Amino acid sequence: MKKDHLYLYTLLAISAIVFIIGYFSMTYMVKVSTNQFLTIQIESSKREAREFAELISFQIANGIDRKTIINDVQKSIEGTNIETGYIGMFDWSGVEICNPNPQKIGKRTNPDESYVRPVDNEINSEDFYDLLSNKKAQGGIRNFSDESKNSEIIYLFPVKNSDWIIASHANIDRIEKQIGKLKFNFLLVYLLSSAVIVILSILLVRFLGSYYEKSLELKNEKLSEEVLNLSKLNVDLANYRSKLNKKTKEESSGNIKTTSDESNKIKNRLLTYSKDKLVTIKVDQVIFIDTENTVNWIYCLNGKKYPSNSSLDELYKSLDPLLFFRANRQSIVSVKGINEILKYGNSQLKIKLNGSFDKEIIIGKNKAAEFKKWLNA
């Protein structure tokens, strides 16, 4: 259940991040792309207006009749008002001479009827975009009185040797539809790409999660095995103590006899000294023997420790192997001194001792098997 909640929260977090970043990225890309589209539209309209003006000027210079020129221009532009941009022509008084819509010919175009007017013959695409988006005056674009108009004059170019002016119109309705399609395509790509990123991310999270879950399960299985082994060791320790107690009772009652060799070899007391006095220590009171700075110390249940002149090998040979184990080069531990057996490092064991001594004995992995066999004897 917790794992499902984790996947859910991960999905929500990734979705929020992807969609928020994607939204701002999409908005920026829409504006950049729209500005590029409007820049192309403006440059195309300016070029078309100049070409028409130069062509008409050339025809006038060659003596072609003006009515013929007007008729030719009208035929070439008639019906083009359905495109994003088109050309019109009027005289200096503002009367339409040529227009894609024949019904507008002869009508006057007042200065305040145009949404856009050039500033130094230049129109900024960002200002044009703001006009389309917010209907607000920016730069060369000014306020207008009739918001229902669907076309704007974005560029004017005079015809030489005449009182005619070529006007480039922008078809606002068509441009807004083009921009709407552009926004829709960006939105569609944004939603699809965001959904794919989120799905792939959650699949990757689940894949990595399952991989680490398997590794954790293997570690848990190994840990469980080690716990069981440690439990078995501690059980073996308890059984071993009970066997020793039973054997001690039988020996004290005379049921078991030891050979003279064994009795000569194994000591019941260890001879040591404290300051200037000789001290005898009962073996059953010894917790462990340890080497510190080349000196062997015998630690007892009463919390005291005594130095010994004998080497660790000599001491171990004089002790009962059923009661004492050579843990490592520096330590001999008594079965009575073992309080708890713990796992330590890689296949090593750590022994916590009885008594007030703050010491721990480490059994290396080479000795661990022998120690287990000793406890299970």
Side-chain angles (χ1 to χ4, degrees), residues 81-84 171-179:
N81 56 343
I82 61 173
E83 300 174 1
T84 55
N171 193 334
I172 300 300
D173 288 343
R174 297 287 298 178
I175 291 175
E176 286 181 339
K177 287 180 181 178
Q178 292 287 340
I179 293 174

Side-chain angles (χ1 to χ4, degrees), residues 124-377:
N124 188 291
S125 62
E126 292 186 3
D127 295 337
F128 198 9
Y129 179 72
D130 289 334
L131 170 68
L132 296 173
S133 302
N134 306 317
K135 305 296 183 184
K136 290 182 179 179
Q138 294 285 342
I141 301 175
R142 56 191 173 86
N143 290 327
F144 49 89
S145 57
D146 185 7
E147 296 188 6
S148 63
K149 285 188 69 175
N150 57 8
S151 65
E152 310 305 326
I153 298 173
I154 60 173
Y155 189 68
L156 299 173
F157 200 90
V159 179
K160 293 181 181 179
N161 304 320
S162 71
D163 61 347
W164 298 340
I165 299 173
I166 299 296
S168 289
H169 293 258
N171 193 334
I172 300 300
D173 288 343
R174 297 287 298 178
I175 291 175
E176 286 181 339
K177 287 180 181 178
Q178 292 287 340
I179 293 174
K181 287 182 180 180
L182 184 67
K183 288 182 178 179
F184 175 78
N185 290 334
F186 268 104
L187 180 62
L188 186 61
V189 171
Y190 154 67
L191 292 175
L192 290 175
S193 60
S194 298
V196 170
I197 291 172
V198 169
I199 292 172
L200 291 178
S201 298
I202 196 64
L203 289 176
L204 182 61
V205 168
R206 293 204 65 168
F207 172 76
L208 293 175
S210 61
Y211 173 78
Y212 283 109
E213 282 173 8
K214 288 180 180 178
S215 63
L216 286 175
E217 286 176 0
L218 291 175
K219 288 181 179 179
N220 288 334
E221 287 178 1
K222 290 181 179 179
L223 184 61
S224 298
E225 290 177 1
E226 291 171 355
V227 170
L228 289 173
N229 290 333
L230 288 176
S231 300
K232 186 176 182 300
L233 278 178
N234 286 287
V235 170
D236 290 342
L237 175 62
N239 293 334
Y240 193 67
R241 283 175 177 167
S242 64
K243 287 180 182 179
L244 289 176
N245 292 332
K246 184 178 180 181
K247 183 178 178 182
T248 303
K249 289 179 180 179
E250 289 176 349
E251 287 178 350
S252 62
S253 63
N255 294 332
I256 297 178
K257 295 182 180 179
T258 58
T259 63
S260 59
D261 291 339
E262 288 178 340
S263 61
N264 291 331
K265 183 179 178 182
I266 297 172
K267 295 181 179 180
N268 293 323
R269 292 181 177 83
L270 297 176
L271 185 63
T272 182
Y273 60 91
S274 176
K275 296 181 181 180
D276 296 331
K277 295 180 181 180
L278 289 174
V279 178
T280 57
I281 303 171
K282 289 185 178 181
V283 171
D284 59 3
Q285 294 298 308
V286 176
I287 295 179
F288 72 103
I289 303 171
D290 193 48
T291 302
E292 294 180 10
N293 299 323
T294 69
V295 178
N296 294 322
W297 293 88
I298 301 172
Y299 293 82
C300 300
L301 286 170
N302 59 8
K304 294 181 180 181
K305 67 177 185 176
Y306 303 93
S308 175
N309 291 327
S310 301
S311 68
L312 209 62
D313 288 335
E314 291 174 345
L315 289 171
Y316 184 62
K317 289 178 181 179
S318 66
L319 297 172
D320 189 346
L322 295 175
L323 297 176
F324 292 88
F325 179 79
R326 182 71 177 268
N328 48 52
R329 291 180 180 179
Q330 293 82 27
S331 305
I332 300 171
V333 64
S334 167
V335 70
K336 292 184 178 181
I338 300 174
N339 180 38
E340 191 177 12
I341 305 169
L342 303 173
K343 183 183 180 297
Y344 181 79
N346 186 17
S347 303
Q348 295 178 322
L349 298 173
K350 179 166 66 175
I351 296 175
K352 285 191 174 183
L353 298 168
N354 291 316
S356 58
F357 300 107
D358 188 18
K359 273 188 170 288
E360 294 174 341
I361 295 177
I362 305 301
I363 298 178
K365 60 181 180 180
N366 296 328
K367 279 272 189 178
E370 185 181 347
F371 177 72
K372 293 176 185 177
K373 186 177 180 180
W374 176 69
L375 283 182
N376 200 26

Side-chain angles (χ1 to χ4, degrees), residues 16-28 186 190 193-194:
I17 293 171
V18 170
F19 279 98
I20 289 172
I21 294 175
Y23 174 77
F24 286 107
S25 301
M26 181 200 69
T27 304
Y28 173 76
F186 268 104
Y190 154 67
S193 60
S194 298

